[in-house]
Amino acid sequence: MMLMLPRMPLHCCKFFTRTKCCFRAIDKMIVLIPGICTGNWKAGRSGTLLLRRCLHRRECDSQYVQGKGPPWGVVFFGSDAFAAETLRSLIKARTDGMVGSLEVVVHKKAQKPIVELVDKAGLTCHVWPYMPPTHHSFHVGVVVSFSRLLPESLIAAFPYGIVNVHPSLLPRWRGPAPIMHTVLSGDSETGVCIVHIRPHKYDVGPILLRQTVPVHHRCTTQELTSSLARIGADLLMRALRDLPENVLYSIPQDEEGGTLAPKPSVILAWVRWSQHTCEQVDRLHRALHERMPLRTLWTGQTLKILDLEPPGNISLGQDVNHSAPGSLYFDKATRLLYVKCKDGWVGVRSLLFKKRLSAEDFYNGYLQVHFQRGGRLRANASSTKTSERPRFVSPSDDMIARMVRVQVKTKYGMSPG
């Protein structure tokens, strides 16, 4: 027996949404519909999604005040440079009649761009945790890059709930670092979503508006962040312009295809020369270098790569092309230090080893004893004396974990032990 769900007009769902409890019970029940069907599973899933969206619209219709328009009373939640672009647009919108009252909620360690905007505009600023006073007429909350789960009581304090400016095409890259993971994965496109916040989970609510953005070749996390911050601020203004309608017709996210974007760990910055391709090393550099430079070991000490040349077809001669991963070659013509990866060579222009050094300075200070006659390796490709070859070394995972523990203990004033 196959259970078919017809295309149901909106008014037919009224009896499902008399109360929120009824809606939640029905929503849980329809998840089980494909499991009790046999035969056409695709049709069952399509009908389930249709009924879910229908119920979602009826819930929104019963929950939000119809006919209400700007100016909106807004509470803004945000603390970093990405959030500052949206706050700037909200401040400007006060003069355009889009926003009426505006207050700001920040972390204890709010970044300078947010603090400067708040001081310059003379806004009331609260430090998290926060609950809006009942006598203030705030209509909606706006959260951008806040990294805090907002409780259900706070969301319910706003008639239109809380909306989030999220820099990815949800459900791809849910979490606190979507832009970094976009660059790291080599995605050809990304975007911005205006999401209706739900309690208890990050980035799972229905989508009011979304805009797709192409990812330009070799863009960095910082470049993409600046671009998406501007696009996100503009998209939020569009959402506020017709807020009741946008909330009413928001679309639930697809339950399939979700990926997570956790905060980057310093472990990610260590290059595995025998495992990473040139393209992967380049992506790591473009994704991380503004926040944490790539790391490797030189003579047992940490060395940081500051400036990496884009990968290309590099041929350094037969005597070095078959070198082991991590092997070094300095080219005097280009003044680049080349490092062997899994599938080729990447060029390093500057690095940090005790102090900032150009590739040429590093060669003169540390490598010249290993080279002779204009940059040729002392040991040729057929030599078995690999110890004579200068190399960057990839530490083991256990060694990286130990080094991270030492750094954490040192940071907090504890003995490395």
Side-chain angles (χ1 to χ4, degrees):
M1 173 183 174
M2 181 176 66
L3 178 61
M4 296 298 295
L5 296 178
R7 295 182 64 85
M8 195 178 301
L10 200 60
H11 66 271
C12 293
C13 293
K14 285 185 177 180
F15 70 95
F16 282 138
T17 54
R18 299 277 175 88
T19 65
K20 288 186 180 180
C21 278
C22 181
F23 168 77
R24 287 169 182 155
I26 294 295
D27 190 48
K28 290 179 180 178
M29 183 188 75
I30 63 176
V31 173
L32 301 177
I33 288 177
I36 61 176
C37 296
T38 59
N40 193 341
W41 287 76
K42 186 174 181 181
R45 185 179 181 278
S46 176
T48 298
L49 182 60
L50 173 67
L51 182 55
R52 188 188 300 278
R53 290 185 179 182
C54 188
L55 295 175
H56 172 70
R57 288 187 182 182
R58 291 306 304 163
E59 183 196 31
C60 292
D61 195 20
S62 62
Q63 183 177 355
Y64 300 109
V65 180
Q66 300 300 302
K68 175 66 181 174
W72 305 110
V74 178
V75 176
F76 175 82
F77 300 79
S79 289
D80 65 6
F82 180 84
E85 195 67 38
T86 298
L87 179 57
R88 188 176 291 109
S89 293
L90 289 170
I91 293 171
K92 182 181 178 182
R94 291 194 304 173
T95 62
D96 300 337
M98 180 71 68
V99 175
S101 55
L102 176 62
E103 295 188 3
V104 177
V105 180
V106 298
H107 300 161
K108 291 181 179 179
K109 297 182 179 180
Q111 294 183 11
K112 187 176 180 180
I114 289 286
V115 175
E116 289 180 345
L117 282 173
V118 169
D119 291 343
K120 185 176 180 180
L123 299 176
T124 301
C125 187
H126 309 273
V127 177
W128 180 262
Y130 165 82
M131 179 61 72
T134 55
H135 63 276
H136 278 204
S137 57
F138 293 115
H139 303 103
V140 64
V142 174
V143 58
V144 186
S145 190
F146 197 60
S147 299
R148 295 290 189 276
L149 276 175
L150 305 185
E152 191 169 6
S153 57
L154 176 60
I155 298 172
F158 299 94
Y160 289 92
I162 299 178
V163 296
N164 170 227
V165 180
H166 186 82
S168 80
L169 295 176
L170 292 169
R172 185 166 177 79
W173 302 134
R174 290 170 172 160
I179 302 176
M180 186 272 290
H181 283 276
T182 296
V183 176
L184 190 60
S185 298
D187 291 356
S188 60
E189 68 174 17
T190 184
V192 178
C193 291
I194 307 299
V195 188
H196 212 218
I197 290 291
R198 292 291 184 263
H200 312 307
K201 290 185 179 181
Y202 287 112
D203 308 323
V204 297
I207 297 173
L208 280 67
L209 294 175
R210 66 190 289 157
Q211 181 173 335
T212 301
V213 179
V215 179
H216 298 298
H217 178 62
R218 296 207 77 248
C219 78
T220 66
T221 295
Q222 186 173 15
E223 292 168 348
L224 192 56
T225 297
S226 299
S227 174
L228 294 181
R230 292 189 295 270
I231 293 171
D234 293 341
L235 198 62
L236 176 69
M237 294 302 107
R238 285 173 50 194
L240 292 178
R241 198 168 291 121
D242 300 303
L243 182 61
E245 182 178 354
N246 286 326
V247 170
L248 178 61
Y249 291 100
S250 58
I251 301 175
Q253 293 183 37
D254 194 339
E255 295 181 358
E256 298 179 357
T259 54
L260 299 180
K263 286 184 179 180
S265 164
V266 69
I267 295 176
L268 191 62
W270 286 91
V271 183
R272 276 75 165 178
W273 300 109
S274 61
Q275 302 173 25
H276 289 151
T277 65
C278 297
E279 179 64 27
Q280 288 172 331
V281 173
D282 183 56
R283 286 182 192 172
L284 274 173
H285 174 70
R286 290 186 286 111
L288 300 176
H289 81 272
E290 291 109 345
R291 186 167 182 170
M292 57 178 96
L294 299 189
R295 290 160 165 78
T296 189
L297 288 180
W298 169 252
T299 63
Q301 300 179 65
T302 301
L303 179 146
K304 298 179 181 179
I305 297 172
L306 303 180
D307 190 10
L308 197 70
E309 287 294 297
N313 295 323
I314 302 170
S315 180
L316 302 178
Q318 205 162 16
D319 57 343
V320 294
N321 274 343
H322 295 90
S323 302
S327 295
L328 303 176
Y329 178 91
F330 179 72
D331 182 36
K332 290 187 175 180
T334 60
R335 295 183 178 180
L336 290 177
L337 178 67
Y338 289 100
V339 190
K340 182 69 182 295
C341 302
K342 179 181 178 180
D343 65 343
W345 299 80
V346 291
V348 176
R349 193 168 290 280
S350 63
L351 39 81
L352 184 67
F353 187 67
K354 301 179 181 178
K355 63 179 181 180
R356 187 184 182 103
L357 299 168
S358 67
E360 188 172 21
D361 292 336
F362 183 76
Y363 168 74
N364 291 333
Y366 297 98
L367 293 181
Q368 205 164 22
V369 295
H370 295 280
F371 289 90
Q372 65 181 5
R373 289 201 298 268
R376 288 186 174 276
L377 287 173
R378 187 184 297 273
N380 60 34
S382 62
S383 172
T384 59
K385 297 180 180 180
T386 56
S387 60
E388 295 182 15
R389 297 167 180 263
R391 293 174 60 190
F392 286 159
V393 177
S394 302
S396 66
D397 292 342
D398 289 341
M399 184 182 294
I400 292 174
R402 286 197 299 271
M403 287 188 288
V404 170
R405 285 197 295 270
V406 168
Q407 289 174 356
V408 170
K409 290 180 180 180
T410 303
K411 178 179 179 181
Y412 290 99
M414 300 169 63
S415 173

